[in-house]
Amino acid sequence: MTRHNLTRRSFLVAAVVGSGAAVIPNAVAVDQNSLFADAGRQYAVPPALLASISYGQTRWADHAGRPSRSQGYGPMHLIDGAAVAEQRAAEGKPAGNAVDTLGLAATAAGLSADRVRTEPASNIKAAAALLAQQQKNLGGPTGVGSDPAAWYEAIAAISGLSTPAAQVRFADDVLTDIATGASVSEGGTKFSLPAGRVGSAGKGRQKLLDRAKAGQRPSGPVDAPGGLGVEWIPAPYEQYGPDPGDYGNHDLAFRPRSPELTHVIIHDTECSYEVALRLVTDPTYLAWNYTLRSSDGHIAQHLETKDIGWHAGNWYMNMHSVGLEHEGYAAQGYSWYPEALYRTSARLTRHLCTRYGIPMDRAHIIGHDQVPGLTTARIRGMHWDPGPFWDWERYFELMGAPLHKGTTGQAPKAGDVVRILPGFDDNVQAVQGCSGVCVEGTGHGTNFIPLHTSPDAGSPLVSDPGLKAGPSTTQVSDIGARAAAGTEYAVAQIKGDWTAIWYLGEIAWFHNPADAPTARRVKGARTVTPKGASAAVFGGAYPEAAAYANPADAQPVSPLLYTLKAGQTYVLSDDTVPTDYYRAKTFSLDTPGDHINTVGKTKYLQINLGHRIAFVQASEVEVR
């Protein structure tokens, strides 16, 4: 494992030291004696407001002068409008209406665009100058002590977001973060924005709300929290051929009554937002529930939640899940998954979990990469998105369900359960295969820790025989030896700074030093161990043959090639697994014997087997 104290936020520390202020070890207040304070004094802007805008855009990261996918630069994420136009032209898209906040900010501050792109201090000053200019044009109050809420319209104007709905969400979040405070930990240092006083945005917010409502398209049966501006773009349910099975691109059902909802699955599109919309509206393709745009987190809903999308590559998981497709590419997720996308997605997922009783944990909110193959033959074809650059810890923090909750700092011992929590920004792992080395040397965080065959960083990575013969690799698509953030495993051994867990029927080691732990002990966890010599593992929880009214409908209950061996222990993540099969083979709901859910008596349990979840039959294991 390679852990770095990255320089993404080093400008904050340097600013404090440079100001002559005393530095408290491992704690840096970003709104006092910092570049935000300097820029605020120069342009009569509240420093906490500047700090909160930066937190909402980049979480105080400068990205070493590299642009985001939206062509935003620096800690203030100022958008290079010319670069956006070039990018869209290269992709064959219309120019759009991107605001050139970088050019406007550079002009307002009298700085070169290149300095604004590459120098954090210049980037912050330029944003402050543009914010002050907008506030003056709006006739609002200025001054470092002015109420941040009075700057609402100016905040929205410099956000770089193109839709009023996205601007409202952003400005709301900026004020909320000031009121509640915010923090980011990196490399042992905690950067924090202390909670402050914020008044009411009043008329300024109402103006933007009116514009957002006026710009909304006619909607349909949207299932989302208020304020997200979700757009209804329905997936077609059409019969396109003479056979009753020639239809697409999803199935009608009666969820959550039947089948029930148990999971939310996070995907990425592997294409642009526009292409994703073309695909999901094609009756001969397949549908998922929601698509989220990368640049601003805008959400389009395609299916009523009661119906079943074809998104997981596993019919059992399709039956019981809602699929969220995020615009982006797994191999370049670090540039495709911005804060705006995380925030709207987290709000949507929290809504779905709350409404349908889905547990907000990493056993039920999973990536497509954690969906098991329904049979051994299907394992190699399963997808691996959203990839190593999706920040699970940040995502759950935004949902109000932080992944460290329920853990303790007590050192784990054999027999305990640990939750993988390596952090993200400073958890830099070697990942290859996207134009060479994706990560090493460029400072992008990852969401996993690698697993080895022995307690030695030079030893081979563990194998996943379902994916391929031989050791796993560091290829970006190879998930065989990755323990992802938030997942839980039973501890098999401890040796110095190394911890061994049970993984895919074998022992896997990861570096877990006491002074920089990558996993934390879980309180009150339950585990399973085989009652006999072994226990079979399944990719779904289908009923026994006797449960079907029509024997021809019976689905094979096929064990995967993995097994739990005697003495091994795995984390029990759900003991309320539905045992069922929803038959949907024809277009019409009136077809006799179709669109029915067969419920069985065999009891299954969900476990965390390896990188993916899996199921075991309760009769074969002992619960501890």
Side-chain angles (χ1 to χ4, degrees):
M1 175 175 177
T2 306
R3 285 174 68 85
H4 299 273
N5 188 4
L6 301 182
T7 58
R8 289 179 55 191
R9 298 182 178 89
S10 61
F11 69 89
L12 295 174
V13 179
V16 175
V17 174
S19 70
V23 179
I24 302 172
N26 302 324
V28 179
V30 300
D31 66 330
Q32 300 295 327
N33 303 307
S34 68
L35 296 180
F36 299 109
D38 292 343
R41 285 190 292 268
Q42 182 173 350
Y43 293 103
V45 178
L49 176 56
L50 292 172
S52 186
I53 290 172
S54 176
Y55 178 80
Q57 292 280 24
T58 66
R59 299 182 73 224
W60 305 321
D62 68 343
H63 298 290
R66 295 186 301 268
S68 70
R69 174 61 191 175
S70 303
Q71 300 300 324
Y73 284 87
M76 306 303 287
H77 198 249
L78 296 173
I79 304 295
D80 186 337
V84 171
E86 291 177 6
Q87 174 182 289
R88 293 186 68 84
E91 295 172 353
K93 301 176 184 176
N97 56 347
V99 179
D100 183 22
T101 53
L102 188 144
L104 293 172
T107 300
L111 297 168
S112 70
D114 187 59
R115 289 185 62 188
V116 173
R117 289 188 189 93
T118 59
E119 298 175 2
S122 296
N123 188 268
I124 294 169
K125 284 185 178 181
L130 180 59
L131 185 66
Q133 184 183 86
Q134 290 289 335
Q135 183 74 342
K136 181 179 179 180
N137 293 342
L138 291 164
T142 60
V144 294
S146 58
D147 183 355
W151 294 73
Y152 192 95
E153 289 181 88
I155 297 168
I158 75 157
S159 67
L161 301 171
S162 58
T163 66
Q167 292 172 358
V168 167
R169 287 196 301 270
F170 179 75
D172 283 350
D173 286 346
V174 166
L175 298 185
T176 297
D177 289 339
I178 296 173
T180 61
S183 65
V184 175
S185 295
E186 180 179 291
T189 299
K190 184 176 183 178
F191 306 98
S192 62
L193 170 65
R197 297 183 63 181
V198 179
S200 171
K203 294 181 179 179
R205 184 174 188 274
Q206 190 58 52
K207 287 181 184 177
L208 274 173
L209 278 174
D210 292 342
R211 286 172 52 199
K213 291 176 182 177
Q216 286 181 352
R217 298 182 185 179
S219 189
V222 165
D223 189 355
L228 283 189
V230 174
E231 184 178 2
W232 177 252
I233 301 179
Y237 186 71
E238 298 177 9
Q239 186 163 0
Y240 54 77
D243 189 275
D246 293 339
Y247 70 95
N249 56 11
H250 58 278
D251 279 298
L252 304 183
F254 313 95
R255 305 188 309 176
R257 178 173 59 84
S258 180
E260 65 181 275
L261 286 165
T262 60
H263 290 78
V264 174
I265 300 179
I266 303 300
H267 306 257
D268 74 51
T269 59
E270 295 299 313
C271 64
S272 70
Y273 179 78
E274 293 84 357
V275 170
L277 294 189
R278 288 202 298 270
L279 292 173
V280 78
T281 54
D282 179 351
T284 65
Y285 195 62
L286 52 85
W288 49 91
N289 298 79
Y290 302 88
T291 304
L292 291 88
R293 188 164 60 203
S294 175
S295 61
D296 58 3
H298 177 69
I299 302 172
Q301 182 174 344
H302 312 298
L303 299 177
E304 293 187 60
T305 311
K306 71 180 184 67
D307 296 329
I308 299 174
W310 301 343
H311 58 92
N314 175 321
W315 179 245
Y316 179 81
M317 295 300 296
N318 280 340
M319 288 163 45
H320 295 289
S321 66
V322 176
L324 278 62
E325 290 277 2
H326 299 76
E327 181 188 20
Y329 297 83
Q332 286 88 32
Y334 47 81
S335 64
W336 278 93
Y337 306 145
E339 184 71 3
L341 181 71
Y342 279 119
R343 291 197 178 208
T344 57
S345 181
R347 285 170 180 158
L348 175 60
T349 295
R350 180 178 178 84
H351 161 83
L352 293 168
C353 290
T354 301
R355 181 170 185 181
Y356 298 107
I358 301 171
M360 282 194 288
D361 59 36
R362 283 286 284 116
H364 297 87
I365 302 171
I366 63 175
H368 198 178
D369 56 339
Q370 293 170 266
V371 174
L374 197 53
T375 64
T376 294
R378 296 183 184 180
I379 294 174
R380 292 192 181 191
M382 298 304 292
H383 290 202
W384 55 276
D385 57 304
F389 307 116
W390 179 266
D391 189 348
W392 287 109
E393 294 182 57
R394 173 59 176 159
Y395 194 61
F396 274 75
E397 178 186 326
L398 287 168
M399 282 193 292
L403 289 174
H404 62 78
K405 187 176 181 180
T407 67
T408 174
Q410 183 179 358
K413 61 184 183 302
D416 284 343
V417 168
V418 292
R419 185 177 300 157
I420 306 300
L421 293 170
F424 184 79
D425 292 321
D426 57 343
N427 179 43
V428 178
Q429 305 292 349
V431 181
Q432 298 175 306
C434 36
S435 300
V437 178
C438 310
V439 176
E440 200 67 63
T442 59
H444 297 302
T446 59
N447 61 16
F448 72 94
I449 52 176
L451 301 174
H452 293 267
T453 55
S454 64
D456 179 353
S459 66
L461 296 174
V462 297
S463 302
D464 182 345
L467 292 177
K468 66 183 184 67
S472 300
T473 68
T474 57
Q475 288 294 306
V476 65
S477 60
D478 190 345
I479 62 171
R482 291 181 188 164
T487 55
E488 297 178 359
Y489 301 92
V491 177
Q493 299 178 37
I494 301 289
K495 187 174 183 179
D497 287 341
W498 288 78
T499 299
I501 56 175
W502 295 112
Y503 185 92
L504 295 177
E506 306 296 338
I507 282 179
W509 292 88
F510 66 92
H511 194 227
N512 189 31
D515 60 347
T518 55
R520 290 172 62 89
R521 183 173 174 268
V522 179
K523 297 181 289 187
R526 292 184 299 165
T527 58
V528 300
T529 190
K531 289 180 178 178
S534 65
V537 175
F538 302 88
Y542 281 158
E544 64 282 0
Y548 295 86
N550 181 355
D553 292 341
Q555 297 298 297
V557 179
S558 304
L560 303 178
L561 80 166
Y562 316 106
T563 59
L564 311 189
K565 301 179 181 69
Q568 296 184 352
T569 305
Y570 291 82
V571 174
L572 169 60
S573 54
D574 196 335
D575 63 357
T576 62
V577 174
T579 302
D580 59 355
Y581 169 72
Y582 183 75
R583 187 187 192 280
K585 300 289 188 181
T586 63
F587 177 74
S588 176
L589 278 175
D590 298 326
T591 303
D594 204 24
H595 298 96
I596 57 173
N597 198 42
T598 298
V599 178
K601 295 181 179 179
T602 304
K603 183 172 178 58
Y604 289 85
L605 306 174
Q606 181 182 313
I607 64 169
N608 200 52
L609 177 68
H611 188 86
R612 303 183 191 273
I613 64 169
F615 303 91
V616 294
Q617 293 184 352
S619 61
E620 294 193 347
V621 297
E622 178 184 347
V623 177
R624 297 177 178 176

